[in-house]
Amino acid sequence: MSQYQENATITRYERLSQDNIRLTLQADSIAAAAKPGQFVMIRTSTAKDPLLRRPFSIHQTSTNGRIQILFKILGRGTELLAHAQEGEQLPVFGPLGHGFDIRTDRPACIVGGGMGIAPMLFLAKRISRLKSNVASDFILFGGRTRTEVEPLSDDFRQFGMRFYEATDDGSYGEKGFVTQLIQRLKPPKGSVVYACGPESMLEQLNIYCQVKGLECQVSVESVMACGMGACLGCNIPAKDGGYVHVCYEGPVFNAEELAWK
Amino acid sequence: MEIVRERDPFPDLRVNIGTLRLQNPVLTASGTFGYAREFANLLNLHRLGGVIVKGISLEPRHGNPPPRIVETACGMLNAIGLENVGVDRFIQEKIPYLRGLQVPAIVNILGDSVEEYQEVTERLASIEGVAAIEVNISCPNVKKGGVAFGANPDMAAAVTHAVKENCDVPVIVKLSPNVSDISEIAAAVEDAGADGVSLINTLIGMAINLEKRKPELANVIGGLSGPAIKPVALRMVYQVARRVSIPVIGIGGIDNSRDALEFIVAGATAVQVGTANFINPRVSEEIAEGIGEYVKTEKLPSIRDLIGCLEVD
């Protein structure tokens, strides 16, 4: 597995809503090697503060050597990144980690909650290319409110999968959570659930999948310093009582491997 | 007629730590460079002075619960809890790769008791591919109420002695800065036979999340590293280098060749690059290059002419 450090030029800056931003970066080697569910580490400043790079899942790649990241302004790193401009260069390191294990022989149910939707565009695109028929595949996308969901809607409609949206406040799509959507829509037997989002959402999906006997792959988050297995700072509890490391053993895990609360 | 041009001479960057010969003074700090293999396709390992691998204990350790790290101003706090595969798996799984490297692999060891340090040393002593041992004495001594070995000159000397007695390779003792007089500890480990000292390990600190009114780290306290600690590290290297006659290896916030050169001027024979590896995996190779450029530009006979040359009026 090859990783690259590239000085990537920002080719497009999109402010999707007040605090959600999408950046397109020219990063040829990373784009060519990336798999859905993998991430990159980006330095948000060349100064000594903030010091560490920040992890971002790869939102999508293009055949002309571009990658996209999608983020919400949450702290100092993302705040700085929000001030980046087209034409500027950013040091990008990746692709990192283990992505989704795509099962082309099985129906897919892609579930994204909030910023957890970020890696799902790349995944949906790849699945739609690998499979001849996606009519029994689902994409379920939930967010807090309209501004989180609406700007990304059209991007997800292009694959011909069954696409459903929900917001916590009912301002867009159905009112409620994606975990309620999945219970109502009941993905077919043998489906693989691919999920990314808040921990509580993943936890409920895991329970649902266990009851229904579905395979559940979850992409999880953690703070991390290096992104490549050197600092060991990104551990999360594993089912066997030990730990797994999000950066190199994940970020995608089979939900059964993890210790849930 | 062919003109014979004088070749640009290779700068002489060689330094010795006891009998350990390094082609240049740049080492990677334990715990920031995995077992070296993780970095193999990101830089040319063979252009480093050597690599120091993740600290090894007698038994495997799971380490601390998350969160283990948090970023702070110009630095980071960590409380990894010395997670490692244990000495037996280290020898089986990691040594074969390290043995194949053209640069020395230094193994960092740790323990809860003098006996544990001794036993880890015994297992490593006969293993080909272990060029030197670095002893982490910042660990708590469980038999002495959890006081760090490195906080007490007698305990630090006892550990040094136990390691030194049980191996033939050079022994470097990594000093804790969390003491009132680090040069006293350095002198004690020198007397106990250490071939060199490396400093500083992380400074103990903490960070608080005000909204949650909770510590940022599950372990509450952790070790501070990164550029924030460089002035403290430089001061300690300066003081220790004046006190002991064994080589001193400088560590603390080094992220470019100028930082490294400052440590050498302060009295360090070699340096270790730590946290900076997380931000730029190629940084240690770049630092070695930068030191070479400096030696050439300054027309120094060798890097050794720079060690401890600080002018204090």
Side-chain angles (χ1 to χ4, degrees), chain A residues 193-257:
Chain A
V193 173
Y194 306 92
C196 183
E199 202 179 327
S200 56
M201 174 196 116
L202 298 180
E203 202 181 327
Q204 287 180 45
L205 281 176
N206 175 48
I207 294 167
Y208 174 84
C209 290
Q210 278 187 340
V211 171
K212 301 287 178 188
L214 303 179
E215 180 181 330
C216 183
Q217 299 181 25
V218 294
S219 175
V220 298
E221 269 193 323
S222 166
V223 290
M224 52 181 75
C226 71
M228 53 175 286
C231 74
L232 308 182
C234 62
N235 64 323
I236 55 168
K239 198 178 186 181
D240 66 5
Y243 297 113
V244 285
H245 302 86
V246 173
C247 80
Y248 70 96
E249 292 166 285
V252 178
F253 294 94
N254 193 310
E256 287 178 355
E257 292 171 59

Side-chain angles (χ1 to χ4, degrees), chain B residues 215-263:
Chain B
E216 293 278 14
L217 298 175
N219 192 53
V220 185
I221 61 170
L224 180 64
S225 66
I229 71 166
K230 197 187 105 184
V232 179
L234 262 180
R235 184 267 292 180
M236 289 187 167
V237 164
Y238 170 67
Q239 288 178 327
V240 168
R242 284 158 62 105
R243 176 75 180 265
V244 300
S245 50
I246 50 175
V248 173
I249 303 172
I251 324 165
I254 296 173
D255 75 8
N256 58 63
S257 58
R258 291 188 64 88
D259 289 341
L261 288 160
E262 288 172 21
F263 274 90

Side-chain angles (χ1 to χ4, degrees), chain A residues 1-5 41 43 48-54 76 93 223-237 240-243 245 248, chain B residues 31-34 38-39 41-42 54 62-69 71-76 80 83 226-227 255-256 259 275 277-282:
Chain A
M1 195 172 63
S2 286
Q3 297 154 354
Y4 306 92
Q5 283 203 93
M41 296 290 286
R43 227 177 144 178
K48 292 185 201 285
D49 199 51
L51 185 69
L52 302 172
R53 296 180 298 200
R54 299 289 191 269
R76 286 188 310 153
F93 177 48
V223 290
M224 52 181 75
C226 71
M228 53 175 286
C231 74
L232 308 182
C234 62
N235 64 323
I236 55 168
D240 66 5
Y243 297 113
H245 302 86
Y248 70 96
Chain B
T32 66
F33 208 66
E38 294 87 337
F39 285 76
N41 73 346
L42 298 170
K54 177 85 190 144
H62 280 314
N64 288 329
R68 289 176 171 182
I69 56 169
E71 190 178 59
T72 56
C74 298
M76 62 178 280
I80 306 300
E83 175 185 343
D255 75 8
N256 58 63
D259 289 341
T275 301
N277 291 313
F278 299 152
I279 299 140
N280 171 10
R282 227 192 133 246

Side-chain angles (χ1 to χ4, degrees), chain B residues 32-54:
Chain B
T32 66
F33 208 66
Y35 299 104
R37 194 173 197 162
E38 294 87 337
F39 285 76
N41 73 346
L42 298 170
L43 82 169
N44 186 346
L45 290 168
H46 297 134
R47 297 179 71 175
L48 304 180
V51 295
I52 307 182
V53 294
K54 177 85 190 144

Side-chain angles (χ1 to χ4, degrees), chain A residues 65-96:
Chain A
R66 290 176 184 174
I67 62 166
Q68 283 187 332
I69 59 162
L70 173 73
F71 64 93
K72 184 187 278 295
I73 303 171
L74 280 176
R76 286 188 310 153
T78 44
E79 177 72 50
L80 279 168
L81 213 49
H83 287 99
Q85 289 176 356
E86 288 177 6
E88 220 175 282
Q89 287 200 325
L90 289 175
V92 182
F93 177 48
L96 301 162

